[in-house]
Amino acid sequence: EAKHRGGGAWQWFSHAMDEGMQLQVEMRAFIHDAINQQQFELFYQPIINQKEEIVAVEALIRWQHPQRGFISPAEFIPLAERSGQIIAISDWVLERACGDRARLKELGIPTISVNFSPIQFYRDDFIDKIKAAVENFAIKPGEIVIEITENVLVRDSEQIQWQLEQLQELGFSIAIDDFGTGFASLRYLGTLPVNILKIDRSFVQNIDHNQRNAAIARGVLAMTSELGIKAVAEGVETDAEHEYLRKHDCALMQGFKFCKPQPLDKLADWVKEQKKVARKEPLK
Ligand code: C2E
Ligand code: MG
Ligand code: MG
Ligand code: MG
């Protein structure tokens, strides 16, 4: 799938992965330049409720390389995780997301959802950094959702549990991203502080006629309802998928059907035209 999306840049990256060290060193230099020359941008994609009002926007990083063109985060984030550069990238993302929060708030958007890498959780200063960022920008933690994948839970789970508990105590919401695709045990749902499960796009695709996907998604919806937590269906693209999910009481959705990830200015225009914002319904 990534092959189709990434085009030339993907080929270059996958080639580099095959070639091993030397090109990986080159890529590190590329990412280093991207950080220093501010080649990154943060796009935002709405998460909507059943009335199609925006309850949150997810921040998604974009990299437009001056020579190589668009490089997908699905390709460079894993590389940056290996090289350790994910920390610098994540610092930039957090800073920018917090910086953009004021404008999003003006638009009436109650929450911002930010992707975090497992690598960040393995650093001692992780919680202090988030605390400092929200304090600097006078943001209430309740306005921020921390998205993590299940894989964060696989390693050193006591330490992770403690960190998540701290974050939740501070008021942040915790979302498990790409739910159902990771390697963690379901048992974590019994003990970990989790507010939101994001049902991975692979289960949402063709949900209206793929009975296995439908069964899995309905199972997750029943489970979240019993647990008293929220579910977001990711990657809703078609009317039929939307309709099916709505019929099965999926309250929250995200996908190209509603809105693609946009730069902040474009998102602001879109919101002003549509005026669909759930001011008093944060994603928590
Ligand atoms: P994710 O967090 O699961 O983000 C959702 C991905 O699905 C995004 O891809 C989004 O553009 C895409 N998407 C949304 N709706 C649809 C749809 O209807 N159809 C299809 N086909 N795709 C849809 P994107 O932006 O390429 O990001 C890919 C992954 O890269 C993200 O998956 C996340 O894991 C990672 N990522 C993106 N930004 C960041 C970031 O700032 N920090 C970290 N650590 N990871 C990030
Ligand atoms: Mg995400
Ligand atoms: Mg996801
Ligand atoms: Mg995903």
Side-chain angles (χ1 to χ4, degrees):
E1 189 200 24
K3 270 188 185 132
H4 302 296
R5 276 189 286 127
W10 165 257
Q11 271 167 24
W12 178 66
F13 267 113
S14 72
H15 179 63
M17 296 300 280
D18 294 341
E19 292 296 303
M21 278 315 288
Q22 199 184 327
L23 275 166
Q24 289 199 32
V25 168
E26 195 185 323
M27 283 189 291
R28 262 176 226 187
F30 264 68
I31 295 175
H32 179 86
D33 289 348
I35 295 165
N36 290 322
Q37 296 169 13
Q38 308 185 350
Q39 292 168 5
F40 294 122
E41 263 192 280
L42 212 49
F43 276 28
Y44 293 97
Q45 185 182 34
I47 297 171
I48 55 116
N49 65 15
Q50 281 190 319
K51 288 181 269 179
E52 286 190 45
E53 300 162 336
I54 302 174
V55 298
V57 287
E58 177 174 2
L60 294 158
I61 195 168
R62 293 290 174 263
W63 181 12
Q64 190 70 38
H65 187 274
Q67 279 86 44
R68 305 276 179 177
F70 175 74
I71 303 172
S72 163
E75 283 126 43
F76 73 80
I77 294 284
L79 288 169
E81 284 176 335
R82 284 211 227 163
S83 71
Q85 288 165 309
I86 188 67
I87 296 299
I89 293 175
S90 302
D91 288 349
W92 179 86
V93 168
L94 186 61
E95 187 82 5
R96 172 55 56 88
C98 288
D100 285 344
R101 177 67 198 127
R103 258 194 90 195
L104 292 166
K105 200 169 183 168
E106 267 171 34
L107 293 168
I109 295 169
T111 19
I112 177 168
S113 205
V114 182
N115 292 286
F116 285 76
S117 162
I119 310 291
Q120 294 174 268
F121 277 78
Y122 307 139
R123 305 263 299 211
D124 291 336
D125 60 354
F126 174 54
I127 292 189
D128 288 338
K129 261 189 191 171
I130 303 185
K131 263 169 73 174
V134 295
E135 277 164 20
N136 276 343
F137 289 94
I139 297 169
K140 295 189 195 85
E143 298 170 10
I144 299 202
V145 177
I146 294 170
E147 292 198 14
I148 55 170
T149 59
E150 288 167 299
N151 296 335
V152 93
L153 310 169
V154 174
R155 214 167 93 185
D156 207 357
S157 55
E158 259 175 50
Q159 162 79 355
I160 303 289
Q161 165 135 14
W162 179 81
Q163 283 175 311
L164 290 176
E165 277 166 3
Q166 266 208 313
L167 289 169
Q168 211 184 37
E169 253 166 55
L170 289 166
F172 296 97
S173 297
I174 311 294
I176 305 291
D177 203 353
D178 306 338
F179 181 71
T181 63
F183 297 102
S185 154
L186 266 185
R187 198 155 63 86
Y188 70 84
L189 287 178
T191 52
L192 284 179
V194 169
N195 305 78
I196 300 143
L197 294 186
K198 298 191 76 175
I199 305 173
D200 191 66
R201 185 172 89 85
S202 58
F203 304 116
V204 169
Q205 233 172 352
N206 300 324
I207 194 168
D208 50 300
H209 58 269
N210 180 322
Q211 288 175 16
R212 281 178 178 250
N213 276 358
I216 292 165
R218 287 201 311 268
V220 175
L221 288 169
M223 185 174 69
T224 50
S225 153
E226 294 273 328
L227 288 169
I229 63 179
K230 289 184 175 171
V232 176
E234 292 194 281
V236 180
E237 290 185 353
T238 68
D239 290 341
E241 288 163 356
H242 178 203
E243 194 48 42
Y244 184 93
L245 285 159
R246 204 166 43 182
K247 253 196 240 154
H248 290 88
D249 296 322
C250 179
L252 301 163
M253 302 185 213
Q254 178 179 3
F256 295 170
K257 159 83 179 74
F258 310 103
C259 188
K260 288 198 172 173
Q262 313 265 0
L264 185 51
D265 284 336
K266 288 221 174 107
L267 179 86
D269 292 343
W270 188 81
V271 170
K272 278 174 195 155
E273 274 169 36
Q274 310 244 335
K275 290 198 196 77
K276 288 182 192 162
V277 175
R279 271 172 206 282
K280 297 200 174 109
E281 190 191 324
L283 180 58
K284 288 190 89 164

